[in-house]
Amino acid sequence: MKILTTLITTTIAVFSLTACKSLPSYSSDYSQADQKIKGIPFNDAQAHDIGSRFVAAFNTLGTSNFVTQASSLYADQLYINDTLSQFSNKQELIKHFEGMNNRVSNVSVKLISATHHQDSAYIHWYMAYDFKMFGRTKTMASYGISEIKINSNQQIIFQQDYWDPANGLYRSLPVFGGAYKWVLPFKKS
């Protein structure tokens, strides 16, 4: 019981301290990247192709093939915001992917639809996976949309993910999920 009380107190203290930290909004970074980074214009087939390649690469997440698959999908210089992290070069993105790869297994990603407007493809996806944290594994799932721009080599140069990390991740985490649900309860009528 003493360990649990210490863990809860520490968690609340960490949440309190991080809540005080001021972080800039990603909106200005997104706006600048969207204006600066121009991809090739899409047609229906190209939008579907990048959606299929994107889903195929992420279906290998949690396996030894993932980092290689993902690496071939992205250009060296890029803008990517996956809602939890932001990257401007492939080297840092791949480090992030290596860390993700060690925490997940049993990944299933499905392509729901692929649409486009000018040089942006909008990839609507569903992802389910097992996530390891604190020695426990939890099955999680989320729907999302990724706005993607590609270069003439068919590599991703711009990606902005839109998904709900509150319901797709935070509420499901051991220990943290309970605190998150308490602070920001989900209401359904």
Coordinates of all heavy atoms in Angstrom, one line a residue, residues 148-181:
I148 N -0.8 13.7 -46.0 CA 0.6 13.3 -46.5 C 0.9 14.0 -47.8 O 0.0 14.1 -48.7 CB 0.6 11.8 -46.7 CG1 0.6 11.1 -45.3 CG2 1.9 11.4 -47.4 CD1 0.5 9.6 -45.4
K149 N 2.1 14.5 -47.9 CA 2.6 15.0 -49.2 C 3.9 14.2 -49.5 O 4.6 13.8 -48.6 CB 3.1 16.5 -49.0 CG 1.9 17.4 -48.8 CD 2.4 18.9 -48.6 CE 1.2 19.8 -48.3 NZ 1.7 21.2 -48.3
I150 N 4.0 13.9 -50.8 CA 5.2 13.1 -51.2 C 6.0 13.9 -52.3 O 5.5 14.8 -52.9 CB 4.8 11.7 -51.8 CG1 3.9 11.9 -53.0 CG2 4.1 10.9 -50.7 CD1 3.5 10.6 -53.7
N151 N 7.3 13.5 -52.4 CA 8.2 14.1 -53.4 C 8.1 13.2 -54.7 O 7.4 12.2 -54.7 CB 9.6 14.2 -52.9 CG 10.3 12.9 -52.5 OD1 9.8 11.8 -52.9 ND2 11.3 13.0 -51.7
S152 N 8.9 13.6 -55.7 CA 8.9 12.9 -56.9 C 9.5 11.5 -56.8 O 9.3 10.7 -57.7 CB 9.7 13.7 -58.0 OG 11.0 13.9 -57.6
N153 N 10.1 11.2 -55.7 CA 10.6 9.8 -55.5 C 9.6 9.0 -54.7 O 10.0 7.9 -54.2 CB 11.9 9.9 -54.7 CG 13.1 10.5 -55.4 OD1 13.1 10.3 -56.7 ND2 13.9 11.2 -54.8
Q154 N 8.4 9.5 -54.5 CA 7.3 8.8 -53.8 C 7.6 8.6 -52.4 O 7.1 7.7 -51.7 CB 7.0 7.4 -54.5 CG 6.8 7.5 -56.0 CD 5.5 8.4 -56.3 OE1 4.5 8.2 -55.8 NE2 5.7 9.3 -57.2
Q155 N 8.4 9.5 -51.8 CA 8.7 9.5 -50.3 C 7.9 10.6 -49.6 O 7.7 11.6 -50.2 CB 10.2 9.7 -50.1 CG 11.1 8.5 -50.6 CD 12.5 8.9 -50.4 OE1 13.0 9.9 -50.8 NE2 13.2 7.9 -49.7
I156 N 7.5 10.3 -48.4 CA 6.8 11.2 -47.6 C 7.7 12.4 -47.2 O 8.8 12.1 -46.6 CB 6.1 10.6 -46.4 CG1 5.1 9.5 -46.8 CG2 5.5 11.6 -45.5 CD1 4.5 8.7 -45.7
I157 N 7.3 13.6 -47.5 CA 8.0 14.8 -47.1 C 7.2 15.6 -46.1 O 7.8 16.5 -45.5 CB 8.4 15.7 -48.3 CG1 7.1 16.0 -49.1 CG2 9.4 15.0 -49.1 CD1 7.4 17.0 -50.3
F158 N 5.9 15.3 -45.9 CA 5.1 16.0 -45.0 C 4.0 15.1 -44.5 O 3.4 14.3 -45.3 CB 4.4 17.2 -45.8 CG 3.4 18.0 -44.9 CD1 3.8 19.2 -44.4 CD2 2.1 17.6 -44.8 CE1 2.9 20.0 -43.7 CE2 1.2 18.4 -44.0 CZ 1.6 19.6 -43.5
Q159 N 3.8 15.1 -43.2 CA 2.8 14.2 -42.6 C 2.2 14.9 -41.3 O 3.0 15.2 -40.4 CB 3.3 12.8 -42.2 CG 2.3 11.9 -41.6 CD 2.8 10.5 -41.3 OE1 3.7 10.0 -42.0 NE2 2.4 10.0 -40.2
Q160 N 0.9 15.1 -41.3 CA 0.3 15.6 -40.1 C -0.8 14.6 -39.8 O -1.7 14.4 -40.5 CB -0.4 17.0 -40.4 CG -1.2 17.5 -39.2 CD -0.4 17.8 -38.0 OE1 0.6 18.5 -38.0 NE2 -0.8 17.2 -36.8
D161 N -0.7 14.0 -38.6 CA -1.7 13.0 -38.1 C -2.7 13.7 -37.3 O -2.4 14.6 -36.5 CB -1.0 11.9 -37.3 CG -0.1 11.0 -38.1 OD1 -0.1 11.1 -39.4 OD2 0.7 10.3 -37.5
Y162 N -3.9 13.2 -37.5 CA -5.1 13.7 -36.8 C -5.7 12.5 -36.1 O -6.3 11.6 -36.9 CB -6.1 14.4 -37.7 CG -5.5 15.6 -38.4 CD1 -5.1 15.5 -39.7 CD2 -5.4 16.8 -37.8 CE1 -4.5 16.6 -40.4 CE2 -4.9 17.9 -38.4 CZ -4.4 17.8 -39.7 OH -3.9 18.9 -40.4
W163 N -5.6 12.3 -34.8 CA -6.2 11.2 -34.1 C -6.4 11.7 -32.7 O -5.8 12.7 -32.2 CB -5.4 9.9 -34.2 CG -4.1 9.9 -33.6 CD1 -2.9 10.5 -34.1 CD2 -3.7 9.3 -32.4 NE1 -1.9 10.3 -33.3 CE2 -2.3 9.5 -32.2 CE3 -4.3 8.5 -31.5 CZ2 -1.6 9.1 -31.1 CZ3 -3.6 8.1 -30.4 CH2 -2.2 8.3 -30.2
D164 N -7.1 10.9 -31.9 CA -7.4 11.3 -30.5 C -6.6 10.5 -29.6 O -6.9 9.4 -29.2 CB -8.9 11.0 -30.3 CG -9.4 11.4 -28.9 OD1 -8.6 12.0 -28.1 OD2 -10.5 11.0 -28.5
P165 N -5.5 11.1 -29.1 CA -4.6 10.3 -28.2 C -5.3 10.1 -26.8 O -4.9 9.2 -26.1 CB -3.3 11.2 -28.0 CG -3.8 12.6 -28.4 CD -4.9 12.4 -29.4
A166 N -6.2 10.9 -26.4 CA -6.9 10.8 -25.1 C -7.6 9.4 -25.1 O -7.4 8.6 -24.2 CB -7.9 11.9 -24.9
N167 N -8.4 9.1 -26.1 CA -9.1 7.8 -26.1 C -8.3 6.7 -26.7 O -8.5 5.6 -26.4 CB -10.5 8.0 -26.8 CG -11.4 8.8 -26.0 OD1 -11.6 8.6 -24.8 ND2 -12.0 9.9 -26.6
G168 N -7.4 7.1 -27.6 CA -6.6 6.0 -28.3 C -5.4 5.6 -27.6 O -4.8 4.5 -27.9
L169 N -5.0 6.3 -26.5 CA -3.8 5.9 -25.8 C -3.9 6.3 -24.3 O -3.9 5.4 -23.5 CB -2.6 6.7 -26.4 CG -1.2 6.4 -25.7 CD1 -0.8 5.0 -25.8 CD2 -0.2 7.3 -26.4
Y170 N -4.0 7.5 -23.9 CA -3.8 8.0 -22.5 C -4.8 7.3 -21.6 O -4.4 6.8 -20.5 CB -4.0 9.5 -22.4 CG -3.0 10.3 -23.2 CD1 -3.4 11.5 -23.8 CD2 -1.7 9.9 -23.3 CE1 -2.5 12.3 -24.5 CE2 -0.8 10.7 -24.0 CZ -1.2 11.8 -24.6 OH -0.3 12.6 -25.3
R171 N -6.1 7.2 -21.9 CA -7.0 6.6 -21.0 C -6.8 5.1 -20.7 O -7.3 4.5 -19.8 CB -8.5 6.8 -21.5 CG -9.0 8.2 -21.3 CD -10.4 8.3 -21.8 NE -11.2 9.5 -21.6 CZ -10.8 10.7 -21.7 NH1 -9.7 11.0 -22.2 NH2 -11.6 11.7 -21.5
S172 N -6.0 4.5 -21.7 CA -5.8 3.0 -21.6 C -4.5 2.7 -20.8 O -4.3 1.5 -20.6 CB -5.8 2.4 -23.0 OG -7.0 2.6 -23.6
L173 N -3.7 3.6 -20.6 CA -2.4 3.3 -19.9 C -2.5 2.9 -18.5 O -3.3 3.5 -17.7 CB -1.5 4.6 -20.0 CG -1.0 5.0 -21.4 CD1 -0.2 6.3 -21.3 CD2 -0.1 3.9 -22.0
P174 N -1.8 1.9 -18.0 CA -1.8 1.6 -16.6 C -1.4 2.8 -15.8 O -0.5 3.5 -16.1 CB -0.7 0.4 -16.5 CG -0.5 0.0 -17.9 CD -0.8 1.1 -18.8
V175 N -2.0 2.9 -14.6 CA -1.7 4.0 -13.7 C -2.1 5.4 -14.2 O -3.0 6.0 -13.7 CB -0.3 4.0 -13.1 CG1 -0.1 5.1 -12.1 CG2 0.1 2.7 -12.5
F176 N -1.4 5.8 -15.3 CA -1.7 7.1 -15.9 C -3.1 7.2 -16.4 O -3.7 8.3 -16.3 CB -0.7 7.4 -17.0 CG 0.7 7.5 -16.6 CD1 1.6 6.5 -16.9 CD2 1.2 8.5 -15.8 CE1 2.9 6.5 -16.6 CE2 2.5 8.6 -15.4 CZ 3.3 7.6 -15.8
G177 N -3.7 6.1 -16.9 CA -5.0 6.2 -17.5 C -6.1 6.5 -16.4 O -7.0 7.3 -16.7
G178 N -5.9 6.0 -15.2 CA -6.8 6.3 -14.1 C -6.8 7.7 -13.8 O -7.8 8.4 -13.6
A179 N -5.6 8.3 -13.7 CA -5.4 9.7 -13.4 C -6.0 10.6 -14.5 O -6.7 11.6 -14.2 CB -3.9 10.1 -13.1
Y180 N -5.7 10.2 -15.7 CA -6.2 10.9 -16.9 C -7.8 10.9 -16.9 O -8.4 11.9 -17.1 CB -5.7 10.3 -18.2 CG -5.8 11.2 -19.3 CD1 -4.9 12.2 -19.6 CD2 -7.0 11.2 -20.1 CE1 -5.0 13.1 -20.7 CE2 -7.1 12.0 -21.2 CZ -6.2 13.0 -21.5 OH -6.3 13.8 -22.6
K181 N -8.4 9.7 -16.6 CA -9.8 9.6 -16.6 C -10.4 10.5 -15.5 O -11.5 11.0 -15.6 CB -10.2 8.2 -16.4 CG -10.0 7.3 -17.6 CD -10.3 5.8 -17.3 CE -9.7 4.9 -18.3 NZ -9.8 3.5 -17.9

